Amino acid sequence: ILKNNGYAASFDIEELLRSNFSLYRDTLSYGNKTATPIDLHWHIINLLPYYSSSNMIQNIDMGKIWNDSIEIKLGNTMLRTLSIYHQIICLCLHAFKHSYKPLMILCDINEFLRAEGEKIDWDILVEETFKFGLSKYVYYGLYLTSQIFKTDILQNAINKLKPKRMSLFEKKYIDSILQGRPILKDSYSVFLVYFGMYESLTERFVFLRNVLFPCRKYLSFIRGENASCLNIREYIRRANIGLNCIAKFLFLR
């Protein structure tokens, strides 16, 4: 449909229908010279290895997210959108992914909570968050929103979502956001956040392997380029970025 209306994908993916099995991408972007670009998503998480182990793929039930979706009217068109609780989870994930920059991303959470108000079922939100293995991401999003915007959030829900253990780096990171002086100065440094959230050496090793040395097919998903355009220099570049980020992480701890 998009192609018939003058849109073109940013890059070609072989076996397009199988791309939704990739651990490294959840969306394809289509552009049109005279219209707004469109992103097509098939999962709520992009670049899955940044977030967790492969277990998260099984934990997040996209079928349930679709079944729980609700119908709304936009103009004269009826369409489906996420349930209130799944929308909150997605907004918190989105904010974390972008390191809460700009703070307008947290405004999205604040405005959504303010608009939905009493319709929010906090018990279901907490239950779904733990089922998906996303408690840290949702907790940080809600906690920062409540602290910065004084948003009315059920304290009991925040208490239930609060991690039992937070590394020193996580504490410094969240404090830096609240103080308006983020310790992460460049986009690649978000690597530090995910790396620091792992507790075991095995988890950290798997994380490094998935992020730094994906196979060439998946590297094309990550880079948004055809596989034929990629070579060994891209792996060297990724390894160099990874080592620099780890050095920063060790220094900050």
Side-chain angles (χ1 to χ4, degrees):
I1 292 174
L2 287 173
K3 288 181 178 179
N4 289 339
N5 284 276
Y7 283 85
S10 55
F11 74 108
D12 295 326
I13 291 184
E14 295 179 3
E15 302 178 4
L16 178 60
L17 295 179
R18 296 186 181 182
S19 61
N20 62 316
F21 293 104
S22 168
L23 308 184
Y24 298 88
R25 195 171 187 86
D26 79 332
T27 182
L28 285 177
S29 298
Y30 286 80
N32 184 313
K33 293 181 180 180
T34 60
T36 302
I38 294 178
D39 288 350
L40 298 183
H41 292 258
W42 54 83
H43 205 286
I44 64 171
I45 288 181
N46 197 10
L47 298 179
L48 292 176
Y50 280 110
Y51 289 92
S52 184
S53 65
S54 59
N55 291 333
M56 183 176 287
I57 303 172
Q58 285 79 39
N59 289 339
I60 299 178
D61 187 347
M62 292 304 300
K64 187 175 190 307
I65 290 177
W66 175 256
N67 290 334
D68 289 0
S69 63
I70 58 178
E71 195 171 58
I72 62 172
K73 187 174 184 179
L74 185 63
N76 295 320
T77 303
M78 299 302 297
L79 56 103
R80 302 203 69 81
T81 189
L82 297 177
S83 65
I84 292 176
Y85 40 91
H86 287 149
Q87 184 68 64
I88 294 172
I89 291 174
C90 285
L91 287 173
C92 290
L93 276 174
H94 183 251
F96 190 95
K97 171 188 172 183
H98 291 283
S99 304
Y100 309 107
K101 297 183 294 184
L103 284 181
M104 184 175 67
I105 294 176
L106 288 176
C107 288
D108 290 342
I109 300 175
N110 175 64
E111 290 301 309
F112 187 81
L113 296 177
R114 188 171 64 85
E116 298 302 330
E118 296 180 355
K119 292 189 290 184
I120 300 173
D121 190 321
W122 292 100
D123 289 334
I124 293 182
L125 171 64
V126 171
E127 181 182 352
E128 291 293 285
T129 298
F130 277 108
K131 280 183 180 179
F132 292 171
L134 300 173
S135 58
K136 277 193 174 185
Y137 308 99
V138 176
Y139 169 77
Y140 291 141
L142 295 180
Y143 174 74
L144 288 173
T145 302
S146 67
Q147 293 298 307
I148 294 174
F149 298 102
K150 308 304 178 186
T151 313
D152 185 17
I153 299 176
L154 187 67
Q155 187 60 45
N156 187 47
I158 291 183
N159 292 339
K160 289 180 179 179
L161 291 170
K162 185 175 182 179
K164 294 181 180 179
R165 180 184 179 278
M166 294 173 62
S167 67
L168 177 61
F169 179 80
E170 289 173 80
K171 293 177 182 178
K172 289 183 65 175
Y173 174 63
I174 296 301
D175 287 344
S176 74
I177 300 295
L178 292 174
Q179 295 168 11
R181 297 192 299 271
I183 57 178
L184 304 180
K185 301 299 183 181
D186 58 76
S187 58
Y188 290 115
S189 292
V190 72
F191 177 94
L192 293 171
V193 183
Y194 304 112
F195 184 79
M197 291 174 73
Y198 290 96
E199 297 183 4
S200 72
L201 290 176
T202 300
E203 289 176 322
R204 290 183 176 180
F205 173 79
V206 172
F207 170 80
L208 291 176
R209 182 193 64 193
N210 289 341
V211 172
L212 298 180
F213 305 107
C215 70
R216 188 169 177 173
K217 174 184 176 181
Y218 290 142
L219 185 58
S220 70
F221 287 1
I222 297 170
R223 295 289 295 160
E225 300 178 15
N226 294 325
S228 59
C229 300
L230 303 171
N231 52 45
I232 189 63
R233 285 180 294 181
E234 175 60 23
Y235 285 100
I236 295 175
R237 187 186 73 86
R238 295 179 68 81
N240 184 55
I241 292 172
L243 290 174
N244 287 335
C245 288
I246 293 173
K248 290 180 182 180
F249 173 79
L250 295 174
F251 175 75
L252 288 170
R253 285 186 66 112

